[in-house]
Amino acid sequence: MTTRHAEIAGAGFAGLTAATALAQRGWSVRVHEKAPELRTEGAGIVLWNNSLQVLDAIGATHDLMSKSMTPPAYETRMNNVIRSQETLDGISWRTLTRPHLFATLLYAAREAGVEIVAGSTVRSATADGEVTLASGEKATADVVIGADGVGSAVRDSLAIPLERQRSRDGITRFLVPRRKEQLQALEPDTEWDNVIDFWNLEPRVLRVLYTPANDDELYIALMAPADDAAGSRVPIDLELWTSVFPQLAPVLEAAATVPGKYYGYQTTRVESWTRGRVALIGDAAHAMCPALAQGAGCAMQNAWTLAVAADETSDAAALPAALERWEQHERPFTDRCQDRSQHYADTREMANGNQFSGDVVETALYNPTDPRRHEVQ
Ligand code: FAD
Ligand code: 3HM
C-alpha cells in the first residue's frame, strides 16, 4: 500500500497527538504551526485516565511521569472551611505543567517522524483534502486535520456552523514556585500537596484553584466574574487577592509579578466535526469550560480515536464515511463533558465539594484506547 499522508493545522495538544498516532502507523504527517516558535501558552494542567491512556499508547508515559504528580486529594473549601477532600479512588489523574506536557508530546511526535513546520499558517481546507497555506502553497492529503484551536481557520473556511456560549466567570493562570515551607508556616495543618479549590461566593465571587504540578512548581488559577474589574484585572490586584486569601500570600506575591491573561469561560459547539476528508479535533471542534479539566483530555482522546479510525480504513474512497462514523461513536462523550462543564461554570456548584462522582467522572474514566469500549455491557 502507498504511504498515506495527513496535513494537520496546529501543533497544540490535539494536533501533536493525532500526528504522532498517525506517524506511528506508517503515515507521512506534516503539522503546520502558525506561531514562529513551538511552545504552549498557559500554566498548569490536570489530566485524567482518558488522556493518560492515550499518552501511554503513544509511548509518552515515561516522560510524562518524570515530572508530574497525583496529589493526595482534591480538597474543596468555602470561606476557608473544608467541604470535602476527595481522594478520587479508582480514577487515574496527574497534575503537571503545560510546558512539560508540550515537551513530552513534541518529543513523541519527532521520534515518530512527524514533520513540524513552525511559522506556517493554514488558510483554508476543502472537503476533498486540499489545504492552502498563507504562503500560497497548496497540498493534498488523505486526511486534513483542523487542530487549530478555538478560532479554527480550517473549520471556518469550510463554513461549518457553530454556536458559542459565554459564561459570566473567567480565570487567570500562573506557574509559581511551590513555597511549601512558607505556606506551611502560615497554615501548619493544611496538606499543601492537595489540590485545594478555595471558593468565596459571599460577599464577592473570588476563587483560587491551587494545584501543585511537581515538587518545584505550583499552578494557581484565579477566578472572578468578568464584570468584576479588580478581580479580573491582570497583573492581579495583589491587595485584593491577599485580603481574601491571606494564607496564599507567598504564592500570590509571585503571581503578581507575571503579566497574565484573563480567559472568559466559553463553550463552542459545531454542527459537524467532519467535512469529507477534513476532521476537526480539540478546541476547533469542542472548546469547553475548564470546570472538569477536560478540554485537552477530550482533544487528545479524539485525536487518538480519529487516527485509529483513519488508519483502519484502507480504501481511500471510504475515508469520509469512516470519519463520519468516528464522529458518531465518539462525539456523545465529548458533548456530555461539554454540557457538564458548562453547567458547573453556570451554577458554580463545584463550590459545594464532593463533585467528582457518578456521571460527572464519565470522561475522566473513559479509555479511548480500549477497542471494546463501545460494546454494551
Ligand atoms: P490549542 O491549544 O489552541 O492549539 C492550537 C494550535 O494551533 C496553536 O498552537 C495555534 O497557534 C495553532 N494555530 C491556530 N490557527 C492556526 C492556523 N490557521 N494554522 C496553523 N496553526 C494554527 N484542559 C484539560 O484537559 N485540563 C485542564 O486542566 C485544563 N485547564 C484549563 C484551564 C483554562 C483556564 C482553560 C482556558 C482551558 C483549560 N483546559 C484544560 C483546556 C485546554 O487548554 C484546551 O482544551 C487545549 O489546550 C486545546 O488544545 P488544542 O490543541 O485543541 O488547541
Ligand atoms: C484544572 C482546572 N479545573 C477547573 C478550572 C475552572 O473551573 O476554571 C480550571 C482549571 O485549570
Side-chain angles (χ1 to χ4, degrees):
M1 199 164 66
T2 53
T3 303
R4 288 177 286 171
H5 180 67
E7 292 278 332
I8 302 183
F13 301 138
L16 290 175
T17 304
T20 305
L22 284 170
Q24 288 174 340
R25 284 163 177 72
W27 287 56
S28 87
V29 183
R30 184 163 69 152
V31 180
H32 303 274
E33 170 51 52
K34 80 172 176 189
E37 275 174 58
L38 298 176
R39 57 183 184 85
T40 179
E41 260 192 27
I45 192 156
V46 182
L47 298 180
W48 307 83
N49 185 61
N50 54 326
S51 50
L52 294 174
Q53 292 285 351
V54 170
L55 286 158
D56 200 30
I58 63 171
T61 301
H62 180 73
D63 274 2
L64 190 94
M65 294 295 164
S66 69
K67 218 177 165 198
S68 63
M69 62 188 273
T70 301
Y74 189 109
E75 178 171 322
T76 304
R77 297 188 186 190
M78 174 64 79
N79 299 325
N80 212 30
V81 176
I82 296 175
R83 289 210 155 164
S84 62
Q85 286 173 322
E86 295 175 85
T87 48
L88 306 182
D89 300 332
I91 305 178
S92 35
W93 62 300
R94 299 294 282 181
T95 61
L96 61 158
T97 70
R98 282 176 188 253
H100 182 54
L101 176 59
F102 188 75
T104 297
L105 284 172
L106 198 57
Y107 185 78
R110 287 194 165 130
E111 281 269 287
V114 172
E115 182 190 355
I116 307 172
V117 193
S120 177
T121 301
V122 175
R123 268 278 140 75
S124 60
T126 62
D128 58 0
E130 186 178 76
V131 289
T132 302
L133 309 181
S135 64
E137 184 192 332
K138 287 181 190 293
T140 54
D142 296 280
V143 174
V144 172
I145 301 180
D148 47 350
V150 66
S152 174
V154 169
R155 177 195 65 212
D156 294 346
S157 72
L158 290 161
I160 297 178
L162 61 82
E163 275 175 25
R164 193 156 279 156
Q165 191 176 351
R166 294 185 198 281
S167 301
R168 62 196 150 157
D169 296 331
I171 215 156
T172 52
R173 307 176 284 180
F174 304 94
L175 272 187
V176 295
R178 287 285 304 266
R179 298 196 171 154
K180 201 169 149 185
E181 276 148 32
Q182 292 177 52
L183 295 168
Q184 253 156 0
L186 286 170
E187 244 182 39
D189 292 338
T190 290
E191 170 50 86
W192 288 105
D193 279 351
N194 281 349
V195 168
I196 311 178
D197 202 351
F198 292 90
W199 286 84
N200 273 56
L201 296 180
E202 299 291 339
R204 186 171 182 170
V205 176
L206 291 173
R207 166 191 180 201
V208 176
L209 180 61
Y210 166 102
T211 307
N214 54 53
D215 287 346
D216 307 317
E217 293 165 289
L218 170 73
Y219 163 41
I220 46 173
L222 278 55
M223 188 194 97
D227 66 10
D228 178 341
S232 58
R233 201 188 86 187
V234 287
I236 63 164
D237 183 332
L238 184 60
E239 218 177 285
L240 168 65
W241 286 95
T242 47
S243 70
V244 181
F245 302 100
Q247 69 279 55
L248 294 176
V251 292
L252 291 169
E253 278 158 18
T257 65
V258 182
K261 182 178 163 186
Y262 179 82
Y263 293 81
Y265 290 161
Q266 60 104 353
T267 302
T268 302
R269 295 183 178 84
V270 299
E271 185 190 79
S272 170
W273 287 3
T274 77
R275 270 287 188 286
R277 296 184 174 280
V278 182
L280 304 175
I281 51 171
D283 281 5
H286 49 69
M288 64 182 74
C289 296
L292 292 179
Q294 274 292 0
C298 288
M300 293 161 76
Q301 160 185 322
N302 292 320
W304 166 268
T305 54
L306 168 64
V308 171
D311 185 60
E312 278 172 359
T313 312
S314 48
D315 172 10
L319 234 147
L323 298 185
E324 279 177 25
R325 273 198 309 279
W326 158 74
E327 175 176 357
Q328 243 168 42
H329 282 135
E330 296 301 325
R331 183 164 175 165
F333 293 92
T334 299
D335 283 350
R336 289 194 289 273
C337 187
Q338 275 189 301
D339 291 347
R340 290 172 184 135
S341 303
Q342 179 71 50
H343 172 82
Y344 274 148
D346 288 344
T347 60
R348 299 173 178 146
E349 266 175 23
M350 290 198 95
N352 298 334
N354 285 314
Q355 296 301 307
F356 290 100
S357 62
D359 290 353
V360 166
V361 292
E362 179 193 36
T363 326
L365 291 170
Y366 189 55
N367 180 2
T369 69
D370 179 358
R372 296 157 59 104
R373 66 193 179 283
H374 296 305
E375 285 175 16
V376 182
Q377 299 298 307

